[in-house]
Amino acid sequence: MRLRGLPLAYLTLLSVFVLLPTISAQGVGESSPLGSGDAAWLSYQPVRSETVFPGGVPDTVVQLGVSLLEDSSAKELAAGWRGMLQHEPRVIHADVGDGRKVVLGTQREIELWSTHASATKSLAHDAFRIYRDKNALVIEGGDDRGVLYGTFALLREIAEQHSTANLDQSSTPWAAIRWTNEWDNPNGTIERGYAGPSIFFEGGKVRADLSRAAAYARLLSSVGIDGCTINNVNADLSLLRPENLREIARIADVFRPYGVRLSLSVDMSSPEVLGGLKTFDPLDPVVATWWKAKVDEIYAVIPDFGGVVIKADSEGRVGPSKYGRTQSDAANVVARALKSHGGVVMYRGFVYNNHLDWHDLKADRARAGYDTFHPLDGKFDDNVIVQIKNGPIDFQVREPVSPLLAGLPKTNEAIELQVTQEYTGQQRHLVYLVPMWKETLDTDMRGSAAAAPLPVKLLVSGRATGTEQHSEGGFVGVSNVGTDGWLGNPLALANLYGFGRLAWNPNLEAATISDEWTRLTFGNDEQVRSTINKLQLDSWQIYESYTGPLGIGTLTDIVGAHFGPGIESAERNGWGQWIRADGHGVGMDRTVVTGTGYIGQYPAPLAATYESLATCPDDLLLFMHHVPYTYRLHSGLTVMQFIDNTHYWGAHAAAQQVPAWEALRGKLPDATYAEVLKRLKYQAGSAIVWRDAVTRWFTKQSGVPDALGRVNHYPNRIEAESMKLSDYTIVDVNPWETTSGGKAVICDRPECKAETTWDGPDGWYDVAVQYFDLLHGHSQFTLTIAGHNVGHWTADDTLPGDTPNGSTSTRRSLDRVAIHHGDLIQVTGWPDGTEKAPLDYLSIAPAARTGIVVNGIR
Ligand code: GCV
């Protein structure tokens, strides 16, 4: 047989040379894709200055005030001018003449400078207005932080190449609290951090070099974030020692020029463990005195300290329940110590029992927040803010809004959103979370059908009408940035950016935020914008489709890394993330009539919607109800067919992200392009692992076959255990559904081989070797076809886990390999330590690509 006029044997050889460079390296590397470019969305790339400043680029910055924040504003403008306008402005402090200039100052300073400006209506703290006053572009802040925010807003306008000729923009932050929480530990690790070690700590101490911490504060400030809690909510008590506080003060020092106030997570047992008291009972006066002294000590070294975050009576952290006290008792004792300094307590609503009895059909972890906190409404001091996760469980791919958000009308509250993608693919999978957050923020929590809408975003604004307190409120984003490009995946930075933008203005659209971020990061190229925006906006639906649809929960390994599939891990343990899947049906019955009663925690109109099968939305069905697999959704599909279809669609859509991205080759910085490509390719393979695990598990559980015959039929697959094995041994994998055939092969010798003879026709094929890359060990593999080495690689990724399963399963892909009938296909593995060159299967499918597909997601 001849292909394109050449003998196949020749083509096979040729393919070795031609195809080797296109072999995808799918491990996710450690080094920062941004290199020293930690600027992220503050990349300040050149723009068309005549579009932005039709009357000419201002050459002078007039900084009216003398303050750290105004200094930062002037410096930032100069940096923006240099990068975007290729112009070095002079910065002066006293206005001279009528030339083109940018004038920045607080409202008071502006009033002294110009009589025109006094017409401006009063600006609140942190608010700003940017407008023209003759030749001057004025940035007027309600205070100096407002000046800085206005500066970044102007720079955003320039980066997006908008004309400033008639600029008049006023903006006030939606809520006072706009914080990130970082779950960093003093040893430099980060709980649920997926981008390398801490930017704050290393080896038990604050880092000597805090330049990344300073760069982070600048990024936060550019989107209006005004607070950052630098340590894990599972707090290391030693951080409150005097010598550590002095070191932490250095972090506050580098935050200060950007208006970011530092805060700390503290543990309720500190008075006893650290202070040597006999108790930490919050109602004991000795304990109150201890907190007061400790807080005074903090303010002595960090005068603008923001406050504390408290996780108590949760996941092994002790709390007031030890003394029969309430969560409000605990919050208030610390709040009173902070009060005179202007600090706040962010008290986490994430209080639940992780030893629930799974036999008890009325037990329900989702109820815990409301059951604990609702009876305490009105009992919290006014500088306590209850910090509530968006959903009642724990940052799953889809959850209903937490009913507690509507259950505290007399209490300040903040919503906690998770930027770090703990349950949503850990930044190895692309998931733009802003649309998910928007859904929660827009959910109407009104108490009666007749009342005005009360969306969550209003409840957390600190000024909800119809509620009795809410003088403070806001947004907390669990960010967990690290030294590896902040979030590891360059595209994941849209989530950090988006969190900040929503905290400032939750009315912004998800698409607008994505587009802003893309333009600020990569410039204004139309193709780059449309491709990246589409990738981002489709990504949540894609990820949900191949993981846990219908509100069932993410279906990940909840007792492990929260990464790969681990369906049964949800069941039969005390963690209460049960999916209640049996031979007949699936889902948690949370109805009032027959279930746990959870739905009754919602305001009546929402409760009625969820309680009835007729009105419960499909995408939350299995969160609210237990239904048979044959139950028909509103779409007309049965639950089981929906699970099968959606997983196949999701994995297909994930694969299509790769060519969409590849169409941007040459239009982006090389390192960024390569890093994202590597991750998207990994994701495409991982989506197949997810698809197969979930569909096979539910097919077995339900006994309902896939109507389209896909599940358990993999025509292009050759299982490793069915190949001719030399020294490889067959092992069972746990959980079984995470590997093809439930088995893998491992190598207990210095070298092992698995081989097969190709019995298909001659042709071009896409080949994938599905193997396991454990956290520890660097096994090596070689793939040979007809004696030619077509790929050699080292399993050196850092996937989470040390056993072969869905978290460590990965693939090596080779596109368009020529194979002819009778070729010997051989995989050779060389183990390294406990990583025994484990293999799952080979996939050999007719080559899919004849060209590049642009934007071919659906
Ligand atoms: C910091 C989940 C995470 C934990 C986290 C906890 C919390 O359970 O898996 O790592 O602990 O939430 O939010 O406190």
Side-chain angles (χ1 to χ4, degrees):
M1 176 181 177
R2 297 174 79 83
L3 283 175
R4 291 188 194 155
L6 289 172
L8 189 60
Y10 180 71
L11 278 171
T12 307
L13 262 180
L14 190 67
S15 71
V16 173
F17 296 104
V18 174
L19 296 170
L20 266 183
T22 72
I23 291 173
S24 48
Q26 291 166 8
V28 175
E30 296 243 274
S31 63
S32 165
L34 300 170
S36 59
D38 292 336
W41 57 82
L42 298 178
S43 66
Y44 296 148
Q45 299 180 38
V47 296
R48 281 194 307 269
S49 54
E50 63 283 7
T51 307
V52 181
F53 291 106
V57 175
D59 54 12
T60 304
V61 171
V62 184
Q63 178 192 332
L64 297 176
V66 181
S67 80
L68 264 184
L69 298 186
E70 285 195 33
D71 287 351
S72 298
S73 307
K75 260 194 243 157
E76 201 61 43
L77 281 178
W81 252 239
R82 277 192 293 275
M84 294 190 283
L85 305 163
Q86 271 105 58
H87 196 93
E88 182 71 50
R90 63 184 180 136
V91 179
I92 57 174
H93 289 269
D95 191 13
V96 279
D98 277 339
R100 292 188 302 272
K101 61 198 165 198
V102 180
V103 177
L104 51 90
T106 60
Q107 188 149 44
R108 224 183 120 52
E109 290 156 359
I110 296 284
E111 275 166 9
L112 292 173
W113 166 75
S114 161
T115 46
H116 298 260
S118 51
T120 302
K121 74 174 169 52
S122 162
L123 291 171
H125 285 304
D126 297 1
F128 63 83
R129 183 178 164 208
I130 320 170
Y131 56 97
R132 286 231 159 245
D133 184 302
K134 298 192 203 137
N135 268 341
L137 196 52
V138 181
I139 303 174
E140 180 175 336
D143 50 20
D144 55 358
R145 210 191 262 135
V147 176
L148 185 58
Y149 294 149
T151 298
F152 281 116
L154 174 61
L155 290 166
R156 207 156 43 230
E157 289 295 310
I158 299 172
E160 292 187 54
Q161 239 164 224
H162 295 150
S163 168
T164 58
N166 300 308
L167 188 60
D168 189 353
Q169 188 188 106
S170 302
S171 196
T172 305
W174 188 262
I177 302 285
R178 304 179 306 277
W179 288 19
T180 65
N181 282 180
E182 315 291 333
W183 291 350
D184 294 35
N185 301 310
N187 65 6
T189 59
I190 305 174
E191 182 157 348
R192 313 301 176 191
Y194 309 106
S198 170
I199 62 170
F200 303 121
F201 302 106
E202 78 187 329
K205 293 201 168 72
V206 171
R207 278 178 177 269
D209 175 5
L210 289 173
S211 50
R212 275 176 184 274
Y216 187 46
R218 173 171 170 253
L219 275 185
L220 294 180
S221 155
S222 74
V223 284
I225 302 289
D226 65 351
C228 175
T229 312
I230 58 165
N231 67 309
N232 194 348
V233 288
N234 293 325
D236 185 310
L237 283 75
S238 72
L239 288 179
L240 290 185
R241 292 208 179 104
E243 64 277 19
N244 289 333
L245 289 174
R246 281 194 296 274
E247 283 294 292
I248 288 168
R250 292 198 298 111
I251 304 177
D253 291 344
V254 302
F255 280 2
R256 197 164 293 120
Y258 296 101
V260 175
R261 298 211 291 178
L262 181 143
S263 45
L264 287 171
S265 297
V266 300
D267 189 277
M268 281 315 293
S269 68
S270 301
E272 182 182 309
V273 179
L274 204 64
L277 304 185
K278 291 206 168 59
T279 175
F280 64 89
D281 179 352
L283 294 191
D284 189 319
V286 188
V287 169
T289 306
W290 188 88
W291 280 113
K292 178 83 180 79
K294 184 50 73 181
V295 164
D296 290 348
E297 188 187 325
I298 297 175
Y299 277 93
V301 288
I302 309 175
D304 54 354
F305 184 66
V308 301
V309 179
I310 297 176
K311 171 176 178 177
D313 282 328
S314 171
E315 299 186 334
R317 308 306 292 189
V318 294
S321 65
K322 173 161 182 195
Y323 303 99
R325 311 299 188 197
T326 65
Q327 306 302 320
S328 50
D329 294 332
N332 292 343
V333 67
V334 188
R336 282 164 202 167
L338 286 157
K339 177 80 179 168
S340 63
H341 299 284
V344 296
V345 169
M346 304 296 293
Y347 200 87
R348 297 183 86 228
F350 189 61
V351 173
Y352 74 99
N353 170 10
N354 62 332
H355 300 288
L356 280 181
D357 178 6
W358 59 271
H359 299 94
D360 177 1
L361 294 180
K362 297 286 176 193
D364 187 357
R365 169 172 164 183
R367 291 190 56 119
Y370 189 97
D371 283 345
T372 308
F373 283 86
H374 176 66
L376 301 174
D377 189 28
K379 300 211 161 84
F380 291 92
D381 282 10
D382 63 3
N383 61 332
V384 175
I385 293 139
V386 178
Q387 180 172 319
I388 305 166
K389 292 190 184 192
N390 58 293
I393 298 285
D394 193 7
F395 301 132
Q396 300 298 290
V397 66
R398 187 181 293 269
E399 287 185 50
V401 57
S402 168
L404 181 57
L405 285 157
L408 295 173
K410 300 179 198 154
T411 305
N412 297 316
E413 60 187 45
I415 189 164
E416 182 179 311
L417 303 170
Q418 200 183 38
V419 174
T420 188
Q421 294 172 228
E422 175 181 355
Y423 283 96
T424 49
Q426 306 190 354
Q427 283 108 273
R428 290 173 186 267
H429 295 238
L430 177 66
V431 185
Y432 176 55
L433 293 161
V434 173
M436 176 208 266
W437 299 334
K438 286 278 293 177
E439 270 193 26
T440 304
L441 291 166
D442 288 340
T443 303
D444 186 3
M445 304 294 266
R446 72 195 191 286
S448 89
L454 187 57
V456 168
K457 61 189 171 197
L458 203 54
L459 283 167
V460 300
S461 69
R463 56 193 155 80
T465 48
T467 57
E468 292 170 47
Q469 185 171 345
H470 290 285
S471 60
E472 291 250 39
F475 297 75
V476 177
V478 180
S479 171
N480 296 358
V481 296
T483 55
D484 174 10
W486 302 119
L487 289 173
N489 184 342
L491 294 187
L493 280 168
N495 287 326
L496 182 58
Y497 179 85
F499 166 73
R501 295 292 283 138
L502 279 186
W504 184 276
N505 178 6
N507 292 322
L508 288 172
E509 294 300 327
T512 309
I513 293 174
S514 166
D515 193 43
E516 275 184 11
W517 175 81
T518 305
R519 297 171 85 163
L520 267 52
T521 308
F522 298 117
N524 289 293
D525 181 279
E526 283 299 327
Q527 187 192 351
V528 170
R529 282 172 62 193
S530 62
T531 302
I532 294 180
N533 287 334
K534 180 156 174 54
L535 283 167
Q536 297 278 23
L537 291 166
D538 288 344
S539 60
W540 174 37
Q541 190 194 2
I542 292 173
Y543 184 77
E544 181 183 31
S545 297
Y546 61 75
T547 56
L550 300 174
I552 195 171
T554 305
L555 297 180
T556 188
D557 176 9
I558 68 144
V559 289
H562 299 181
F563 181 59
I567 295 133
E568 278 184 89
S569 69
E571 304 278 54
R572 295 178 291 282
N573 59 45
W575 290 96
Q577 289 187 218
W578 310 314
I579 58 172
R580 300 272 192 223
D582 54 30
H584 309 286
V586 57
M588 276 285 289
D589 182 356
R590 292 191 158 108
T591 61
V592 174
V593 174
T594 55
T596 68
Y598 161 84
I599 291 175
Q601 295 182 337
Y602 286 101
L606 208 48
T609 303
Y610 292 148
E611 181 81 10
S612 158
L613 276 169
T615 51
C616 183
D618 282 351
D619 58 17
L620 288 174
L621 178 73
L622 302 182
F623 195 93
M624 304 291 178
H625 296 271
H626 182 84
V627 295
Y629 294 105
T630 50
Y631 176 81
R632 282 201 186 274
L633 302 168
H634 297 300
S635 68
L637 287 173
T638 64
V639 165
M640 203 45 228
Q641 199 55 53
F642 182 86
I643 290 176
D644 290 338
N645 288 2
T646 197
H647 281 79
Y648 275 82
W649 176 82
H652 175 74
Q656 292 306 305
Q657 296 179 139
V658 174
W661 182 256
E662 283 172 333
L664 299 183
R665 188 190 296 270
K667 292 197 156 234
L668 300 168
D670 289 348
T672 307
Y673 172 81
E675 186 65 32
V676 172
L677 183 61
K678 192 162 64 176
R679 288 174 193 252
L680 291 177
K681 285 185 171 174
Y682 168 79
Q683 181 184 358
S686 179
I688 294 172
V689 175
W690 269 99
R691 177 197 77 187
D692 293 351
V694 175
T695 54
R696 291 166 68 231
W697 191 89
F698 277 101
T699 299
K700 183 172 178 207
Q701 187 77 355
S702 67
V704 180
D706 171 24
L708 300 183
R710 298 157 297 189
V711 181
N712 287 320
H713 300 108
Y714 309 106
N716 300 319
R717 206 169 277 187
I718 303 166
E719 297 296 339
E721 58 272 21
S722 72
M723 293 168 77
K724 183 176 163 226
L725 301 176
S726 310
D727 295 326
Y728 261 123
T729 46
I730 300 172
V731 290
D732 288 332
V733 165
N734 184 17
W736 66 269
E737 71 274 13
T738 59
T739 55
S740 198
K743 295 190 190 303
V745 301
I746 59 165
C747 180
D748 268 318
R749 299 286 175 83
E751 176 185 305
C752 301
K753 280 191 195 313
E755 61 186 42
T756 188
T757 301
W758 181 239
D759 62 1
D762 298 356
W764 290 97
Y765 292 91
D766 293 340
V767 179
V769 180
Q770 192 75 29
Y771 66 103
F772 302 89
D773 189 339
L774 312 188
L775 185 56
H776 295 99
H778 290 75
S779 308
Q780 297 194 43
F781 296 93
T782 293
L783 174 69
T784 57
I785 297 179
H788 301 297
N789 177 340
V790 294
H792 177 84
W793 68 97
T794 303
D796 57 0
D797 201 348
T798 51
L799 290 161
D802 272 318
T803 49
N805 60 28
S807 289
T808 53
S809 185
T810 187
R811 59 173 48 198
R812 189 76 171 177
S813 300
L814 293 87
D815 289 351
R816 293 185 65 76
V817 179
I819 307 178
H820 64 176
H821 187 81
D823 276 354
L824 184 66
I825 301 174
Q826 247 179 354
V827 182
T828 309
W830 293 271
D832 179 37
T834 49
E835 187 183 74
K836 296 169 187 291
L839 274 179
D840 190 1
Y841 63 84
L842 283 183
S843 164
I844 302 180
R849 290 211 228 175
T850 49
I852 301 292
V853 181
V854 182
N855 271 359
I857 290 180
R858 281 193 210 146

Short mmCIF file of all heavy atoms in Angstrom, two decimals, residues 680-707:
data_model
loop_
_atom_site.label_atom_id
_atom_site.label_comp_id
_atom_site.label_asym_id
_atom_site.label_seq_id
_atom_site.Cartn_x
_atom_site.Cartn_y
_atom_site.Cartn_z
N LEU A 680 -4.11 22.23 28.46
CA LEU A 680 -5.33 21.86 27.72
C LEU A 680 -5.22 20.43 27.19
O LEU A 680 -6.21 19.70 27.17
CB LEU A 680 -5.59 22.84 26.58
CG LEU A 680 -6.00 24.25 27.00
CD1 LEU A 680 -6.15 25.15 25.77
CD2 LEU A 680 -7.30 24.27 27.81
N LYS A 681 -4.02 20.05 26.78
CA LYS A 681 -3.84 18.67 26.31
C LYS A 681 -4.01 17.70 27.47
O LYS A 681 -4.63 16.64 27.33
CB LYS A 681 -2.47 18.50 25.67
CG LYS A 681 -2.39 19.11 24.29
CD LYS A 681 -1.07 18.83 23.64
CE LYS A 681 -1.09 19.27 22.18
NZ LYS A 681 0.23 19.13 21.55
N TYR A 682 -3.44 18.06 28.60
CA TYR A 682 -3.64 17.19 29.77
C TYR A 682 -5.13 17.07 30.06
O TYR A 682 -5.66 15.98 30.30
CB TYR A 682 -2.90 17.77 31.00
CG TYR A 682 -3.35 17.05 32.24
CD1 TYR A 682 -2.84 15.78 32.53
CD2 TYR A 682 -4.38 17.54 33.03
CE1 TYR A 682 -3.32 15.06 33.60
CE2 TYR A 682 -4.87 16.83 34.09
CZ TYR A 682 -4.34 15.60 34.38
OH TYR A 682 -4.83 14.87 35.43
N GLN A 683 -5.81 18.20 30.04
CA GLN A 683 -7.25 18.22 30.36
C GLN A 683 -8.04 17.33 29.39
O GLN A 683 -8.95 16.60 29.82
CB GLN A 683 -7.79 19.65 30.31
CG GLN A 683 -9.27 19.75 30.64
CD GLN A 683 -9.82 21.17 30.50
OE1 GLN A 683 -9.09 22.10 30.20
NE2 GLN A 683 -11.12 21.31 30.74
N ALA A 684 -7.68 17.39 28.11
CA ALA A 684 -8.42 16.58 27.13
C ALA A 684 -8.30 15.10 27.49
O ALA A 684 -9.29 14.35 27.42
CB ALA A 684 -7.87 16.85 25.73
N GLY A 685 -7.11 14.66 27.90
CA GLY A 685 -6.93 13.26 28.29
C GLY A 685 -7.66 12.95 29.58
O GLY A 685 -8.34 11.92 29.72
N SER A 686 -7.56 13.86 30.52
CA SER A 686 -8.18 13.65 31.82
C SER A 686 -9.71 13.61 31.71
O SER A 686 -10.39 12.88 32.44
CB SER A 686 -7.74 14.77 32.77
OG SER A 686 -8.32 14.62 34.02
N ALA A 687 -10.24 14.40 30.77
CA ALA A 687 -11.70 14.40 30.59
C ALA A 687 -12.18 13.02 30.13
O ALA A 687 -13.29 12.59 30.47
CB ALA A 687 -12.09 15.47 29.56
N ILE A 688 -11.34 12.31 29.38
CA ILE A 688 -11.72 10.95 28.95
C ILE A 688 -11.71 10.02 30.17
O ILE A 688 -12.60 9.17 30.33
CB ILE A 688 -10.75 10.44 27.86
CG1 ILE A 688 -10.93 11.30 26.60
CG2 ILE A 688 -10.99 8.97 27.55
CD1 ILE A 688 -9.90 11.03 25.51
N VAL A 689 -10.71 10.20 31.04
CA VAL A 689 -10.67 9.39 32.26
C VAL A 689 -11.94 9.62 33.08
O VAL A 689 -12.59 8.68 33.55
CB VAL A 689 -9.41 9.73 33.09
CG1 VAL A 689 -9.41 9.00 34.42
CG2 VAL A 689 -8.14 9.43 32.30
N TRP A 690 -12.29 10.88 33.23
CA TRP A 690 -13.51 11.22 33.97
C TRP A 690 -14.75 10.63 33.29
O TRP A 690 -15.60 10.04 33.95
CB TRP A 690 -13.67 12.75 34.02
CG TRP A 690 -13.05 13.40 35.21
CD1 TRP A 690 -11.84 14.01 35.27
CD2 TRP A 690 -13.64 13.51 36.51
NE1 TRP A 690 -11.64 14.49 36.53
CE2 TRP A 690 -12.72 14.21 37.31
CE3 TRP A 690 -14.84 13.10 37.07
CZ2 TRP A 690 -12.97 14.50 38.65
CZ3 TRP A 690 -15.09 13.39 38.40
CH2 TRP A 690 -14.16 14.08 39.18
N ARG A 691 -14.83 10.84 32.00
CA ARG A 691 -16.00 10.36 31.24
C ARG A 691 -16.20 8.86 31.47
O ARG A 691 -17.29 8.40 31.81
CB ARG A 691 -15.76 10.63 29.75
CG ARG A 691 -16.83 10.13 28.83
CD ARG A 691 -16.32 10.08 27.39
NE ARG A 691 -15.46 8.92 27.18
CZ ARG A 691 -14.77 8.71 26.06
NH1 ARG A 691 -14.79 9.59 25.07
NH2 ARG A 691 -14.02 7.61 25.95
N ASP A 692 -15.10 8.14 31.29
CA ASP A 692 -15.22 6.67 31.39
C ASP A 692 -15.53 6.24 32.81
O ASP A 692 -16.35 5.33 33.03
CB ASP A 692 -13.91 6.02 30.92
CG ASP A 692 -13.68 6.24 29.43
OD1 ASP A 692 -14.61 6.74 28.76
OD2 ASP A 692 -12.57 5.94 28.95
N ALA A 693 -14.90 6.89 33.78
CA ALA A 693 -15.12 6.49 35.17
C ALA A 693 -16.58 6.70 35.57
O ALA A 693 -17.23 5.80 36.12
CB ALA A 693 -14.19 7.28 36.09
N VAL A 694 -17.09 7.88 35.28
CA VAL A 694 -18.45 8.20 35.74
C VAL A 694 -19.48 7.37 34.98
O VAL A 694 -20.40 6.80 35.58
CB VAL A 694 -18.73 9.72 35.59
CG1 VAL A 694 -20.18 10.04 35.95
CG2 VAL A 694 -17.77 10.52 36.46
N THR A 695 -19.33 7.26 33.69
CA THR A 695 -20.35 6.53 32.93
C THR A 695 -20.31 5.03 33.25
O THR A 695 -21.36 4.39 33.36
CB THR A 695 -20.19 6.74 31.41
OG1 THR A 695 -18.85 6.41 31.03
CG2 THR A 695 -20.48 8.17 31.02
N ARG A 696 -19.12 4.49 33.42
CA ARG A 696 -19.03 3.06 33.72
C ARG A 696 -19.59 2.77 35.11
O ARG A 696 -20.27 1.78 35.34
CB ARG A 696 -17.58 2.57 33.60
CG ARG A 696 -17.13 2.59 32.15
CD ARG A 696 -15.65 2.44 32.00
NE ARG A 696 -15.23 1.12 32.40
CZ ARG A 696 -14.25 0.86 33.26
NH1 ARG A 696 -13.59 1.86 33.81
NH2 ARG A 696 -13.93 -0.36 33.57
N TRP A 697 -19.27 3.67 36.04
CA TRP A 697 -19.73 3.44 37.42
C TRP A 697 -21.27 3.47 37.46
O TRP A 697 -21.90 2.59 38.04
CB TRP A 697 -19.14 4.49 38.36
CG TRP A 697 -19.36 4.16 39.80
CD1 TRP A 697 -18.54 3.43 40.59
CD2 TRP A 697 -20.48 4.53 40.61
NE1 TRP A 697 -19.07 3.32 41.85
CE2 TRP A 697 -20.26 3.99 41.89
CE3 TRP A 697 -21.64 5.27 40.38
CZ2 TRP A 697 -21.16 4.16 42.95
CZ3 TRP A 697 -22.53 5.43 41.43
CH2 TRP A 697 -22.29 4.88 42.69
N PHE A 698 -21.85 4.46 36.82
CA PHE A 698 -23.30 4.57 36.89
C PHE A 698 -24.00 3.48 36.05
O PHE A 698 -25.09 3.04 36.39
CB PHE A 698 -23.77 5.97 36.47
CG PHE A 698 -23.69 6.95 37.61
CD1 PHE A 698 -22.64 7.85 37.72
CD2 PHE A 698 -24.65 6.94 38.62
CE1 PHE A 698 -22.56 8.72 38.78
CE2 PHE A 698 -24.57 7.82 39.70
CZ PHE A 698 -23.52 8.71 39.78
N THR A 699 -23.35 3.08 34.99
CA THR A 699 -23.94 1.99 34.20
C THR A 699 -24.00 0.72 35.04
O THR A 699 -25.02 0.01 35.08
CB THR A 699 -23.10 1.75 32.92
OG1 THR A 699 -23.12 2.96 32.16
CG2 THR A 699 -23.68 0.62 32.08
N LYS A 700 -22.90 0.47 35.75
CA LYS A 700 -22.89 -0.73 36.59
C LYS A 700 -23.91 -0.61 37.73
O LYS A 700 -24.68 -1.54 38.00
CB LYS A 700 -21.48 -0.90 37.18
CG LYS A 700 -21.31 -2.15 38.01
CD LYS A 700 -19.87 -2.35 38.37
CE LYS A 700 -19.75 -3.58 39.25
NZ LYS A 700 -18.60 -3.50 40.13
N GLN A 701 -23.92 0.54 38.34
CA GLN A 701 -24.80 0.75 39.50
C GLN A 701 -26.28 0.67 39.10
O GLN A 701 -27.08 0.09 39.81
CB GLN A 701 -24.48 2.14 40.08
CG GLN A 701 -25.18 2.47 41.37
CD GLN A 701 -24.51 1.77 42.54
OE1 GLN A 701 -23.58 0.98 42.36
NE2 GLN A 701 -25.00 2.01 43.73
N SER A 702 -26.60 1.25 37.97
CA SER A 702 -28.01 1.34 37.59
C SER A 702 -28.48 0.14 36.78
O SER A 702 -29.67 -0.13 36.72
CB SER A 702 -28.22 2.60 36.74
OG SER A 702 -27.54 2.47 35.50
N GLY A 703 -27.54 -0.53 36.12
CA GLY A 703 -27.94 -1.61 35.22
C GLY A 703 -28.58 -1.09 33.94
O GLY A 703 -29.12 -1.86 33.15
N VAL A 704 -28.52 0.25 33.74
CA VAL A 704 -29.15 0.82 32.55
C VAL A 704 -28.07 1.06 31.49
O VAL A 704 -27.17 1.87 31.70
CB VAL A 704 -29.83 2.18 32.87
CG1 VAL A 704 -30.48 2.77 31.62
CG2 VAL A 704 -30.84 2.03 33.99
N PRO A 705 -28.14 0.36 30.36
CA PRO A 705 -27.09 0.55 29.35
C PRO A 705 -27.23 1.87 28.61
O PRO A 705 -28.33 2.43 28.52
CB PRO A 705 -27.32 -0.63 28.39
CG PRO A 705 -28.74 -1.01 28.58
CD PRO A 705 -29.16 -0.61 29.96
N ASP A 706 -26.12 2.34 28.09
CA ASP A 706 -26.11 3.56 27.28
C ASP A 706 -26.86 3.29 25.98
O ASP A 706 -26.50 2.39 25.23
CB ASP A 706 -24.64 3.93 27.01
CG ASP A 706 -24.49 5.04 25.99
OD1 ASP A 706 -25.44 5.83 25.84
OD2 ASP A 706 -23.41 5.12 25.38
N ALA A 707 -27.91 4.08 25.73
CA ALA A 707 -28.72 3.84 24.53
C ALA A 707 -27.89 3.98 23.26
O ALA A 707 -28.23 3.42 22.22
CB ALA A 707 -29.89 4.82 24.49
#
